[in-house]
Amino acid sequence: MDVEEAIRTRRSIGKVKPDAVDKTLIQNLLDAATWAPCHYHTEPWKFIVMMGEGRSKLGEGYARVCAETLTDVTGEQLQERLAKERQKAFRAPVVIAAVCTPSDDPRVARVEELAAAHAAVQNMLLSAHACGLASIWRSGEPMYHPLMKESLGLDARDEIVGLVYIGYPDISPPAGKRTPAAVKTIWLE
């Protein structure tokens, strides 16, 4: 599959089979991610690959964040909600936390480090698609919470930029639709 086809046909697919994904394929995705552009060659990304029971660290992070924010729920109702939060980590056989650790180099803007880490995630998504894998880039408030960082063993300055869920697709990808670039482009000549 060439790059143009991969860009146009990749879709976020969250419904995946429980089948294990070979570590060699995952390593290929990670290798693709490291070829993202970055200012001053800082390579601000790192990846936490969670498979099998390793996903329970993420599940515990979801539960801890939920428990802190749910102050009006107690007892059995709280335990049911926490169990549901823990299960989020098991929606795919592989979950990769893409993390940005900004450089200490004063020439590098933090926003550029985050942009580089986001580009690494896009490389990973395109590589997964080219390998026949389904993926979805998840984010949201729990991902940014200090308790999630702590659950994954990260430092305070680290930023999780995406939770990439990966597996073999269990549905056909939907058709894509985008606004043509011409509608969103201004040419200055």
Side-chain angles (χ1 to χ4, degrees), residues 57-143:
K57 283 193 176 275
L58 176 61
E60 199 53 40
Y62 277 124
R64 291 177 70 197
V65 171
C66 180
E68 183 177 272
T69 59
L70 285 181
T71 56
D72 59 337
V73 180
T74 59
E76 187 176 316
Q77 197 176 29
L78 176 61
Q79 292 311 309
E80 287 173 8
R81 180 65 189 273
L82 296 181
K84 184 177 178 182
E85 290 296 312
R86 286 183 183 97
Q87 280 307 114
K88 288 181 178 181
F90 293 87
R91 294 182 281 198
V94 180
V95 183
I96 300 173
V99 178
C100 177
T101 302
S103 170
D104 291 328
D105 187 330
R107 300 174 299 165
V108 182
R110 184 174 184 280
V111 68
E112 292 173 354
E113 298 284 80
L114 291 167
H118 289 120
V121 172
Q122 177 68 353
N123 281 5
M124 191 184 318
L125 296 171
L126 290 171
S127 183
H129 176 57
C131 293
L133 295 168
S135 61
I136 188 166
W137 181 347
R138 295 192 184 273
S139 59
E141 286 303 316
M143 187 178 85

Side-chain angles (χ1 to χ4, degrees), residues 2-172:
D2 71 18
V3 70
E4 291 290 326
E5 180 184 359
I7 290 168
R8 285 179 169 71
T9 61
R10 192 211 68 79
R11 300 288 175 272
S12 292
I13 299 175
K15 188 164 174 46
V16 296
K17 298 175 183 174
D19 305 356
V21 178
D22 187 274
K23 283 186 177 181
T24 304
L25 280 177
I26 300 303
Q27 188 60 54
N28 290 343
L29 307 183
L30 298 170
D31 287 340
T34 66
W35 284 97
C38 60
H39 285 83
Y40 301 102
H41 303 286
T42 58
E43 299 183 27
W45 46 73
K46 63 183 171 187
F47 309 100
I48 302 169
V49 180
M50 295 165 276
M51 304 168 72
E53 281 306 308
R55 296 171 291 175
S56 63
K57 283 193 176 275
L58 176 61
E60 199 53 40
Y62 277 124
R64 291 177 70 197
V65 171
C66 180
E68 183 177 272
T69 59
L70 285 181
T71 56
D72 59 337
V73 180
T74 59
E76 187 176 316
Q77 197 176 29
L78 176 61
Q79 292 311 309
E80 287 173 8
R81 180 65 189 273
L82 296 181
K84 184 177 178 182
E85 290 296 312
R86 286 183 183 97
Q87 280 307 114
K88 288 181 178 181
F90 293 87
R91 294 182 281 198
V94 180
V95 183
I96 300 173
V99 178
C100 177
T101 302
S103 170
D104 291 328
D105 187 330
R107 300 174 299 165
V108 182
R110 184 174 184 280
V111 68
E112 292 173 354
E113 298 284 80
L114 291 167
H118 289 120
V121 172
Q122 177 68 353
N123 281 5
M124 191 184 318
L125 296 171
L126 290 171
S127 183
H129 176 57
C131 293
L133 295 168
S135 61
I136 188 166
W137 181 347
R138 295 192 184 273
S139 59
E141 286 303 316
M143 187 178 85
Y144 307 117
H145 199 284
L147 288 174
M148 182 63 82
K149 290 182 189 184
E150 185 179 290
S151 294
L152 295 178
L154 298 172
D155 293 332
R157 71 184 217 137
D158 291 331
E159 293 291 339
I160 302 171
V161 298
L163 296 167
V164 181
Y165 286 69
I166 299 169
Y168 292 99
D170 202 15
I171 60 169
S172 296

